[in-house]
Amino acid sequence: MLELRLHGRGGQGSVVASKILADAVMKSGKYVQAFPEFGVERRGAPVVAFVRIDDKPILLKSKIYTPDHLIVLDPTLIEAINITEGLKENGIILINSEQHPSEFKFDGKFRVMTVDAKRIAIKYRLGSKASPIVNTAILGAVIKAIPVTTMDYLVEAIKDGVPVKIEENIAAAKEAYDSLIKGE
Amino acid sequence: MLELRLHGRGGQGSVVASKILADAVMKSGKYVQAFPEFGVERRGAPVVAFVRIDDKPILLKSKIYTPDHLIVLDPTLIEAINITEGLKENGIILINSEQHPSEFKFDGKFRVMTVDAKRIAIKYRLGSKASPIVNTAILGAVIKAIPVTTMDYLVEAIKDGVPVKIEENIAAAKEAYDSLIKGE
Amino acid sequence: MKKVLMGNHAISYGATLSRVQVIAAYPITPQTQVVELLSEIVANGELDAEFIKVESEHSAMAACIGASAAGARAFTATSSQGLLLMHEVLHWASRARLPIVMANINRAISPGWTIWTDQNDSLSQRDTGWMQIYTADNQEVLDSIIIGYKVAEKVSIPLMIVLDAFVLSHTYEPVDVPDQEKIDKFLPPYKPKIKLDPEDPHAFGGLTAPNIYMEFQYNHQQAMMEAKKIINEVGKEYGDITGRYYQNLSPYKVDDAEYVVITTGTISKTTNIVVDKLRDSGVKIGNLRIRTLRPFPSEEIYEQLKGKKKVFVIDRNISFGNTGIFFQEVKASLYNTDIRVPIFGFVTGLGGRDVTPELIEEIVNIGIKNEKPEEEVIWMGVKK
Amino acid sequence: MKKVLMGNHAISYGATLSRVQVIAAYPITPQTQVVELLSEIVANGELDAEFIKVESEHSAMAACIGASAAGARAFTATSSQGLLLMHEVLHWASRARLPIVMANINRAISPGWTIWTDQNDSLSQRDTGWMQIYTADNQEVLDSIIIGYKVAEKVSIPLMIVLDAFVLSHTYEPVDVPDQEKIDKFLPPYKPKIKLDPEDPHAFGGLTAPNIYMEFQYNHQQAMMEAKKIINEVGKEYGDITGRYYQNLSPYKVDDAEYVVITTGTISKTTNIVVDKLRDSGVKIGNLRIRTLRPFPSEEIYEQLKGKKKVFVIDRNISFGNTGIFFQEVKASLYNTDIRVPIFGFVTGLGGRDVTPELIEEIVNIGIKNEKPEEEVIWMGVKK
Amino acid sequence: MTEKKKRKISLSIPAEEIMRPGNLACQGCGASLAMRYALKALGRNVIFDIPACCWSVIDGPFPYSSIGVPLLHMAFETAASTASGIRAATKVLGKEDTTVVAWAGDGGTFDIGFQALSGAAERNEDIIYVCYDNEAYMNTGIQRSGATPYGAWTTTTPVKHYKKLPKKDIIEIMAAHRIPYVANVNIAYPEDFIRKFKKAASIKGTKFIHVFSPCPPGWKMKPDDTIKVAKLAVQTRVFPLIEIEHGIKYTLNVKVNKPKPVFEYLKLQGRFKHLTEKEVQRIQEDVDAYWDYIMKKVEFSKEYAG
Amino acid sequence: MTEKKKRKISLSIPAEEIMRPGNLACQGCGASLAMRYALKALGRNVIFDIPACCWSVIDGPFPYSSIGVPLLHMAFETAASTASGIRAATKVLGKEDTTVVAWAGDGGTFDIGFQALSGAAERNEDIIYVCYDNEAYMNTGIQRSGATPYGAWTTTTPVKHYKKLPKKDIIEIMAAHRIPYVANVNIAYPEDFIRKFKKAASIKGTKFIHVFSPCPPGWKMKPDDTIKVAKLAVQTRVFPLIEIEHGIKYTLNVKVNKPKPVFEYLKLQGRFKHLTEKEVQRIQEDVDAYWDYIMKKVEFSKEYAG
Amino acid sequence: MFKPGKKIEFKSAKEIPLTPMSLGDMTHNYTGSWRNLRPEIDYDRCIDCMICWKFCPEPAIFIENDRPKIDYYFCKGCGICVQECPVKCIAFEEEGK
Amino acid sequence: MFKPGKKIEFKSAKEIPLTPMSLGDMTHNYTGSWRNLRPEIDYDRCIDCMICWKFCPEPAIFIENDRPKIDYYFCKGCGICVQECPVKCIAFEEEGK
Ligand SMILES: Cc1ncc(C[n+]2csc(CCOP(=O)(O)OP(=O)(O)O)c2C)c(N)n1
Ligand SMILES: Cc1ncc(C[n+]2csc(CCOP(=O)(O)OP(=O)(O)O)c2C)c(N)n1
Ligand code: SF4
Ligand code: SF4
Ligand code: SF4
Ligand code: SF4
Ligand code: SF4
Ligand code: SF4
Ligand SMILES: [Mg+2]
Ligand SMILES: [Mg+2]
């Protein structure tokens, strides 16, 4: 079983991202579960969402304490909170950032990757320039970094899961897929 | 154990009568219980109330189906409803009426008695002439007919149980006591 | 002083003697006389209390919660639909740990409209975290209100005094009304453990996360367990000053009995008559009246039923889709013990159907005759 | 069609497929998405229904009662405080014998404010005369709404589908959404047995005197008993068309088990993992999930538990002053049978405290280790 | 009976009796008469719901009913929400032409059912909400309600503590909800009564009708005074008969140019007998002030609407 | 920091901060600011109760609180009834000088808590009832309430079915209850806001204050626009600032002689972005009509009071 | 005049409807028994204005051949007709006198 | 500036109060972490009108020596002060830049 944790801010769409990812994973024939942090979400405040993936039906209904990998939708969170809590050794930390993975330092042995999802989102006019919506873009990079499903399924899932600007979202995901920086 | 049933009309004070009687009985050292018919009372509509009297504590909490005696506050009820239902043989039927007991005919062996409580109530200005309040008056006759307590205790009970015109109520009860007509 | 009182007035006097400070109530048959008499008592200046004539029972309980949280001794009374309407705020009061006392007149639930007695209203509040005491005569009603405050304030849990509609509420019985002085000694002024106080400001009831919510529930349950003892202790203390002792259970000739009828409310009194009658004809029978439903006195019931041959529970209620509720409670409480006496569950008297000595005798006879219950719910006095 | 759905949307789709005609609902966390999606579906014209956006849950249920009595298939969804606020009218709906279906998301009760899961909200409605079905995944949630209408309309009793807050309501899982056609065949349009109709005027719910009230209660209870069978029958029928069978009980490796863990809701799924793990290490254990709380499937539970060594009931709830509620229900239902296996009652997971496989394993271990329960309520995962 | 004179009578209200006698209203009950008129006005294509109130009893116990039209008895606080549900059902079932009526007492309207009413009004539910106002909780034995007027005795406002708060101004409050139609009626004015009910039935959206409905036992008055007292309520200006459309257009329906003193009205009712002259004077002033206020509204609304 | 210039500043609102930061309001929350002002006005001798609403969360979880005064969290529909109970207790306990405040959202006031409010008003309970109005159920994620204005999107009034009913006119409804004081305030006008709270505290009986309280996520607007939008509500006449005494004396507090077009107000908020030009025009007309109506009331009341 | 209704009795739970539902009206309930004063129309003086009919709450006055007629099975004896009759042609005497 | 409060932890059910009751304020909760844009006052241009102070919802602007000062521990970065400053002397830049 693979367990992922997404970090974002209230209003940034981390839950939608986790749902679309889950959908793409399901479409690929795997079993999946996605859920937000159980609590009150406040615009601006740090939030998390989770995804569980397995080859057999997922019976486990308890929370995720030790994720395999992290996906960080907003790089300013890294300063704000202790992002790596519970993250397994060798876990991937995929960050939406224009910086190179090597510029990020964490306590512990993790694999940092980055993608400039913000730039991509702005390019495809997803959200506004001041607050771009990066959640579909970053998913492109996610499935490159953590190959739990294919781009085709992701495209389908985006079609089902996004209400507007479907083509732009797909294009953004694809571009992100291609521009993931894996670090070392 | 002695069980009494009072018949009146909604608004005529049968329940108050039963309560005052119960009080007078208690004061005399007996055990007692009084209760109205359990239901909705409508002004004008026939209603009943009950009194149980015993020498030992009364544990019985079920209804009274076969009273020993009846007290009828309004003679027009006799035509209107089947008043003697369940009444035990030889039971007293004490009626507020100016008529002589012999003028009343019932199916069954009962002892009819009358008292002109209405006249007495009007005399002591209890209620209005059109609708006199006969409930204390008739109690005087009751304790004469069914000697469950004394006039002294009844007087005390009236003092405790009637908010206004206490003296008049007492005088009415006393006069009724003296003017009970026992029939044959 | 001995007075002939209807059950409803016994409640009003109980509350008055307890020197309640805030009353918030709404009328409903068969409770109205409680409120009416209290209105008069307050209007006459005989009780220094604020009476809030709210616009619904829901608001009555909310106002009691507000008043209690602000440090006053609070009281209300209701029945049936009114009690049901309070449901959400009943949960609130208990989880806020406020020692409110209320009287509930057991009236059946509608539709069809009914005003007559059965216990489904209060019993369907059994999971709200309140203490519940079922009474059997008007004297007990009055006494239990006073005792109720003392218990509630000791354990910080609200308490409900329950009585049968009409059979008590509207029935006049001789009641000894104790002197105020005596009661004042027994029940001193309320010293709130929780208080909204500008001089010591706290917020009460804020968001309580999964990491700590459960500990409050644990404490609530512990306080309930404690209350089993406290009810008996306070009942004894009250007995010492009035001569009237009240405990969680009220057994009648149970000691040497082979058969035990378990009852609640006024049916118990009528059952005592039947017990006496059957004893006269040689049947070794007793009556165990359960006064306290919450906390449920499992251990004491165990003690009473040890060694008995058969037990007959009479329920004036039904949990649809299961059984009578006292029957269920008793069975569950004995399951893990060594008692395995057959327990018969009878449902009767719903919606004010009269429960006569004859009917109770019939129940007992069915129980004695049959080795064990043929059905989980034995309906009595119903036209099937 | 397979979709990744949150539990709340599974409810909305279930209601849509059931072609509900009147929806009356009020928002509350964690139920809001149910209402939001239904708003959209109705606004888009995909469902021919009236959606009444009432001003409280109390009015939501009253409106459902009005709608159902006037002949429409009625639906609502709520949670916790909202459910509690409906209490009086819940009683009303069931005694009016109206086949309303509602979804309730299990959220703990305040204060302190909480939005997280436990079962006290729905369990404190156990005496309201509703049927109650507890679900364990989103697929079951959707299916149970559809099945629920069929059952409710057959026995004329309202039915509540219950699911865990967040753990289901907000968790996305793959769900097969059946074709409308298939469902239309399974669930034909509503044919009301009770109807407000100017062409055939009747009054419903009038004053019902003690001489006849009880007979209605008797019939209600008989219908509940009937529902035990109907739920299994309709569940089978549904299985025949979808491949997914639902019954009152959902046993997992119980057949040859010596130890049985009794669970409800999502804890059951996690328990299955533990069962598998322990089986691997040679412990003969099984999991019995109770789906139906009302009517309580006593006889089926008896069949499942016959011959077992020990039973461990996990309650995500507590009736203060007594025990966990499923624990109580199970014990009571077995008392008069020949089963006397020790039953352990564990309370855990209140107010959203996470119930992990480790915790369940610990529970099982305590059960296996001890001959019988040392305390009636064994608290787990609480900081005592 | 005497020899019949041959002549055609003409009736000012519909002849058909939908309501049946044998019902359980007290002698001289105003609420009973109100229902009789309402049914005459609305006819048979109607569904009623009635929350707890005297009418829950008046209609008769199971298995009987006196009103001759479909009726759902409901919990005390639910008149308007239940009607909303009934209305929704009739809509989906294609019975838009059926009139849905919530019929409640003053307690069920001013107090415990007020939220449901306000909510239905906010949604502009297509129902007629009728409040028959006997100014107290009568079914439970005369407790004060939000409709109990200043000065009145009830069992919860005992003589030593008679009600010192004014009656809630339900008409104004409902008008402020801007529903299409608000009106009051009085059982002593049957023609006006029936006209307004018919008008209400012809309008879409929420209609609120406030019925002045004397109650002999509750008001401690003689049953035969029911109509007299009701008339006096209008003639003394205690109860001005008005209509309000969309919350702004006010119409006075019965002019009272020479009002009788309020005392005429009060003195017939035992519930006011403890009032001192000063208190009666105060009530007179309140009545005068309120009448002025309403007349200003009528004026204002002419100007406004014009 | 640059070199300090020596001069005395003068503040137009009280300096003392009773409310603490660290609370859980969203960025730019109007309700948060409203509480900050209210506490400045009322001081510390006050008891609050708060029903379910954003403020149940904003204040902070157990064992914390941000408002610095005693506070009882209560069930959603109980703000006014709980306050009545608190007030009764303070009375018997001899603390009449303590101000009792019920602080509720629009859902808790216009909808689910309205009956309790109306009941308290009928009893003229000596409390201040504050409704901070963000025009939807925000704490549960933006569902429509009786306060949601015509035209707005919410999650239960989706774009295809945006709200087609007007906002309940709570001010007029409460005025019709004839309580001594009804007022509205706006967070962009803190001086007026604080003056009115202080005035309310000085009056006996029921006081109702309606607070205009923008909500960036709920209104789909930028958090930094909170004050701007609030000001525009007044400048476009969408939210006329008034006081109403005893239900009859109306005072307009902020004159708006040259109103800005309503579109200025609407366009900053995503919840209105689906509206057609025609719909915007309709809203403009409604706003104009309501303003006229209120101005007539102000006129009328001058005449009346005079 | 109203057709007197029937009393409806049930022998068992099997006979009753699903929920308390009316199956007839209250005209088996002769509320005439509530009356202790009895209104009587003097038809010679009666002008057939039908005001008595209009104001009878029960209704217990019906119109027969264009004349008002009191149905004593149901008249509760409230006296409204007596008081409201414009020509005072309705007498009100004690029952049974 | 606000004195930062303490986090309060409980080890067991015995330590908690009778009912969820506040024992401190929220000033241990540095909502500065919510901010992704950072307001900065240019004191040279600032005219000390205190409008920013007046409108900060948190409150995260305090007055120190008659000048406004932003408390970055708590400023959530809403931008109200930036927008409302009459002389536009508050800059608003991305955090960490
Ligand atoms: C929740 C609830 N509370 C109280 C009652 C009791 N109750 C029934 S009718 C009634 C009085 C109704 O008063 P009103 O609405 O004025 O009608 P009236 O009886 O005066 O005709 C009351 C208090 C009830 N049925 N339900
Ligand atoms: C009985 C009940 N129903 C529903 C809820 C859920 N609920 C909590 S807060 C809230 C919304 C409150 O809206 P409002 O009063 O406008 O305050 P806001 O959240 O907008 O500040 C709702 C629906 C509840 N707590 N209790
Ligand atoms: S109490 Fe009043 S309203 Fe009720 S039935 Fe009697 S007269 Fe009519
Ligand atoms: S949702 Fe709106 S009202 Fe609620 S805290 Fe956030 S900004 Fe404030
Ligand atoms: S009111 Fe008098 S005159 Fe008129 S019809 Fe009746 S009896 Fe005749
Ligand atoms: S006395 Fe009353 S009930 Fe009888 S006919 Fe006259 S008005 Fe009708
Ligand atoms: S950005 Fe917002 S929170 Fe920060 S100081 Fe400015 S107004 Fe206050
Ligand atoms: S608003 Fe601008 S000018 Fe005024 S005090 Fe603040 S920073 Fe200085
Ligand atoms: Mg009334
Ligand atoms: Mg809101």
Side-chain angles (χ1 to χ4, degrees), chain E residues 1-5 7-9 11-15 17 19-29 32-33 36-37 40 58-66 187-191 222-228 231, chain G residues 2 6-8 10 16-17 19-29 31 34-36 43-44 46-48 50 53-61 63-69 74 76-80 83-84:
Chain E
M1 210 205 277
T2 57
E3 171 71 351
K4 223 187 104 231
K5 300 155 214 156
R7 59 182 161 178
K8 264 259 146 344
I9 53 158
L11 301 174
S12 59
I13 63 171
E17 300 291 2
M19 187 173 123
R20 308 275 102 175
N23 63 62
L24 299 181
C26 307
Q27 298 166 328
C29 171
S32 179
L33 197 46
R36 183 171 164 245
Y37 294 153
K40 282 175 183 284
I58 297 174
D59 189 54
F62 167 76
Y64 309 109
S65 172
S66 298
I187 51 157
Y189 295 79
E191 295 78 12
K222 303 200 332 293
D224 55 344
D225 277 346
T226 287
I227 296 297
K228 186 171 171 190
K231 246 181 227 152
Chain G
F2 287 97
K6 277 201 297 276
K7 252 200 153 149
I8 301 168
F10 302 97
I16 59 175
T19 178
M21 171 174 113
S22 68
L23 300 165
D25 62 34
M26 286 290 285
T27 50
H28 66 281
N29 183 43
T31 46
W34 297 21
R35 196 175 56 230
N36 47 10
Y43 285 102
D44 287 336
C46 166
I47 57 169
D48 297 338
M50 295 306 157
W53 168 79
K54 212 159 65 174
F55 287 130
C56 175
E58 301 312 318
I61 302 184
I63 303 173
E64 201 177 68
N65 297 327
D66 282 1
R67 304 223 69 176
K69 191 163 172 206
F74 298 115
K76 288 174 186 157
C78 66
I80 289 177
Q83 173 149 177
E84 295 304 321

Side-chain angles (χ1 to χ4, degrees), chain F residues 53-54 105-108 132-139 143 145 147:
Chain F
C53 60
C54 269
D106 50 296
Y132 71 93
D133 183 2
N134 50 29
E135 304 198 324
Y137 300 129
M138 293 311 176
N139 192 39
Q143 293 82 24
S145 79

Side-chain angles (χ1 to χ4, degrees), chain D residues 55 58 63 88 202-204 207, chain E residues 61-62 71 73-74 77 85 123:
Chain D
E55 77 294 340
H58 192 281
E88 186 197 2
H202 297 279
F204 296 92
L207 198 68
Chain E
F62 167 76
L71 157 60
H73 287 283
M74 257 300 264
E77 60 285 2
R123 298 188 301 274

Side-chain angles (χ1 to χ4, degrees), chain C residues 120 126 317-325 328 376-377 379, chain D residues 94-95 125-132 157 217-228 231 248 292-299 301 329 333:
Chain C
N120 265 85
R126 61 175 157 156
N317 64 77
I318 171 106
S319 180
F320 292 121
N322 206 339
T323 65
I325 289 175
Q328 190 202 26
E376 271 303 272
V377 183
W379 287 78
Chain D
S94 80
R95 284 153 203 271
Q125 312 315 310
R126 62 176 157 154
D127 303 323
T128 58
W130 281 60
M131 295 186 280
Q132 287 197 8
I157 297 176
Q217 317 302 302
Y218 177 75
N219 285 348
H220 190 160
Q221 169 74 349
Q222 297 315 105
M224 270 283 194
M225 292 299 110
E226 178 75 8
K228 289 194 201 183
I231 292 169
N248 289 312
T292 309
L293 168 73
R294 287 287 178 278
F296 194 74
S298 312
E299 300 81 1
I301 289 175
E329 298 265 336
S333 80

Side-chain angles (χ1 to χ4, degrees), chain G residues 41 45-53 68 85-87 89-90:
Chain G
I41 300 175
R45 291 165 54 214
C46 166
I47 57 169
D48 297 338
C49 66
M50 295 306 157
I51 285 176
C52 53
W53 168 79
C85 172
V87 300
C89 74
I90 312 182

Side-chain angles (χ1 to χ4, degrees), chain B residues 62-132:
Chain B
S62 57
K63 296 193 186 140
I64 289 174
Y65 298 94
T66 55
D68 295 284
H69 310 296
L70 302 186
I71 297 148
V72 184
L73 277 77
D74 186 330
T76 62
L77 285 166
I78 294 169
E79 297 290 298
I81 59 166
N82 175 16
I83 224 160
T84 59
E85 201 184 333
L87 178 60
K88 288 201 185 116
E89 221 180 78
N90 282 322
I92 293 170
I93 306 178
L94 168 53
I95 306 169
N96 162 25
S97 169
E98 65 214 351
Q99 290 173 266
H100 190 272
S102 58
E103 295 183 47
F104 293 91
K105 294 283 168 266
F106 293 99
D107 283 352
K109 212 179 150 232
F110 309 119
R111 288 178 284 158
V112 180
M113 305 183 185
T114 59
V115 64
D116 194 353
K118 184 175 165 186
R119 181 192 56 75
I120 298 169
I122 291 172
K123 174 173 165 191
Y124 292 100
R125 295 176 203 279
L126 302 171
S128 66
K129 221 171 163 169
S131 52

Side-chain angles (χ1 to χ4, degrees), chain A residues 41-43, chain F residues 24-32 53-55 57-58 132 134 136-142 213-219 226:
Chain A
E41 184 176 314
R42 283 294 179 222
R43 184 145 148 183
Chain F
L24 299 182
C26 306
Q27 298 166 327
C29 172
S32 179
C53 60
C54 269
W55 253 103
V57 174
I58 296 174
Y132 71 93
N134 50 29
Y137 300 129
M138 293 311 176
N139 192 39
T140 41
I142 324 170
S213 180
C215 164
W219 296 9
T226 287

